[in-house]
Amino acid sequence: MPSVIKRKTSHVAESAFKIYAGDEPRPGGYRGILKQLNMVKSKGDNLMFTAVVEFEAKDGSDKKQFDGYATFPQIPLTDNESNIQREQALYVAVCGKMDADIKVDGTPEKFKAGDGQKAKVVSINGVKPEGKVVNVRMRYEIDNREGMNGAQQLRCDLIFAARGESPVVDEEDDIEDDEETDEEGLPLYEEDDLKTKNLVALRKILVDELDQDAAEIKAEKSKAALIELILELQEDEEEDEDEEDEEETDEEEDEDKEAEIREEVDGMDRNVLKAAIKKRDSAFRVLKSTTDEALREALVALMLQDPPF
């Protein structure tokens, strides 16, 4: 016999993003709308921004096909220089300033680490972040979470200013939208934006922001050539950042290996330590005066040279 199941959902706000059924974007820069900006406590007990950005390219852009794609960047508030640069870029994107007074709806500093609570960011220096037009940088990252087996995931690692967009300013504040650029090396310009600029503006970008020789740039009369040079220089800087990220990942992996080895070695008694060392270095001499701690350090060094996994 038929039955009716009633469910009331109108009391819950709609999602900040639409369901996306298109192709996955490629790594690179995209224009989008900042749909949400919240503050949480990370598992590492740091305050952290969590955002929702939905792609929305300019009319005529070849990236229009990705409109509606949602990405979920996270920006921890730490003393790490790279994270501070990402934090600065967000502030500049929202209000044009690097230092920020952040108004939140709640007290996220009292949240417990990783408890899932979130406080809405009401304004940054009086500017409401929701609805702000921004640019984002997408890149592949290795996913080391359990069950992901190191698969590559496309993620947003940077929110930065969208050139030529008017700031959304709170009526109670008079905020000047200055022309400061983000940190050196950040990919601030897309080809569509550059095509709208004149020769003087393009030369200024190359000299002031990308450290090119003023005399050489002034001698170039082709707008297309200047645009191509800007895009190439930005791509080169992005590749340099990728290499730095890979080096940091390798260092973290080495630290993880050492931690695993030390955990294994800490449980060994003196006889097991001696046998394990002899197996790896038959010339190693163990004296009566050699402490167990010294044996552990020697074994760790040998196992790092030839890890047991």
Side-chain angles (χ1 to χ4, degrees):
M1 185 174 178
S3 63
V4 176
I5 299 173
K6 292 186 177 182
R7 291 281 295 150
K8 182 177 176 62
T9 65
S10 59
H11 63 290
V12 176
E14 292 184 12
S15 171
F17 54 94
K18 304 170 186 175
I19 296 175
Y20 178 77
D23 295 332
E24 183 176 80
R26 300 176 297 274
Y30 293 86
R31 179 182 183 272
I33 308 297
L34 187 55
K35 292 288 188 174
Q36 278 188 10
L37 187 63
N38 297 303
M39 190 170 284
V40 303
K41 262 291 183 71
S42 72
K43 291 181 179 179
D45 203 27
N46 296 306
L47 290 174
M48 181 171 69
F49 287 115
T50 62
V52 177
V53 178
E54 188 176 284
F55 288 7
E56 186 178 296
K58 288 184 177 181
D59 291 339
S61 169
D62 60 356
K63 296 180 180 179
K64 262 292 184 185
Q65 60 181 306
F66 303 115
D67 278 9
Y69 181 90
T71 187
F72 309 91
Q74 297 180 337
I75 304 172
L77 278 61
T78 71
D79 293 331
N80 177 277
E81 185 174 335
S82 176
N83 285 337
I84 290 174
Q85 289 176 349
R86 295 170 63 208
E87 189 181 341
Q88 287 177 343
L90 171 65
Y91 299 152
V92 171
V94 172
C95 66
K97 305 292 183 181
M98 288 187 180
D99 296 324
D101 290 332
I102 307 160
K103 183 178 180 181
V104 296
D105 186 10
T107 53
E109 62 272 17
K110 295 183 180 180
F111 294 167
K112 293 182 179 179
D115 65 0
Q117 292 189 76
K118 60 184 179 181
K120 177 182 177 181
V121 176
V122 178
S123 65
I124 299 177
N125 289 337
V127 180
K128 298 175 181 177
E130 289 185 9
K132 181 69 180 177
V133 177
V134 298
N135 283 338
V136 295
R137 182 175 67 187
M138 306 295 294
R139 61 170 58 187
Y140 284 122
E141 296 180 359
I142 302 299
D143 194 333
N144 291 317
R145 292 176 299 175
E146 185 176 354
M148 297 305 295
N149 298 320
Q152 283 195 331
Q153 298 289 324
L154 185 66
R155 291 177 179 165
C156 172
D157 74 333
L158 183 68
I159 300 174
F160 58 100
R163 296 285 167 175
E165 304 289 350
S166 299
V168 182
V169 180
D170 191 293
E171 292 180 357
E172 296 179 356
D173 295 273
D174 181 18
I175 296 177
E176 180 181 351
D177 183 25
D178 58 29
E179 293 298 321
E180 292 183 29
T181 63
D182 284 350
E183 291 298 297
E184 182 181 359
L186 298 182
L188 298 179
Y189 302 100
E190 295 189 56
E191 187 173 0
D192 292 343
D193 296 327
L194 293 171
K195 287 179 179 178
T196 66
K197 298 183 182 295
N198 58 30
L199 283 170
V200 174
L202 294 173
R203 287 171 180 150
K204 183 176 176 61
I205 291 170
L206 284 160
V207 174
D208 293 351
E209 300 179 30
L210 296 172
D211 294 330
Q212 299 302 293
D213 183 83
E216 292 181 5
I217 297 303
K218 189 174 182 180
E220 178 57 66
K221 307 298 183 183
S222 169
K223 181 176 177 178
L226 293 176
I227 291 174
E228 183 178 358
L229 180 56
I230 291 172
L231 295 174
E232 286 179 356
L233 290 170
Q234 289 183 158
E235 185 176 349
D236 289 344
E237 289 186 352
E238 196 168 59
E239 289 176 355
D240 290 341
E241 289 179 2
D242 287 340
E243 290 177 1
E244 290 176 3
D245 291 341
E246 289 176 4
E247 289 175 0
E248 289 177 1
T249 300
D250 290 342
E251 289 175 2
E252 290 173 358
E253 289 177 354
D254 289 342
E255 290 174 359
D256 290 341
K257 287 179 180 179
E258 182 174 349
E260 290 179 28
I261 290 172
R262 286 190 179 278
E263 185 176 351
E264 179 183 350
V265 169
D266 283 345
M268 296 180 181
D269 62 24
R270 187 175 183 85
N271 289 331
V272 175
L273 288 168
K274 289 163 61 178
I277 291 172
K278 287 292 184 181
K279 182 177 179 181
R280 289 172 170 79
D281 183 2
S282 58
F284 189 92
R285 294 184 62 195
V286 180
L287 305 176
K288 289 183 179 180
S289 59
T290 306
T291 64
D292 289 359
E293 188 58 33
L295 291 176
R296 288 190 176 92
E297 290 300 322
L299 181 55
V300 167
L302 290 170
M303 291 176 74
L304 284 172
Q305 295 173 15
D306 183 22
F309 32 71

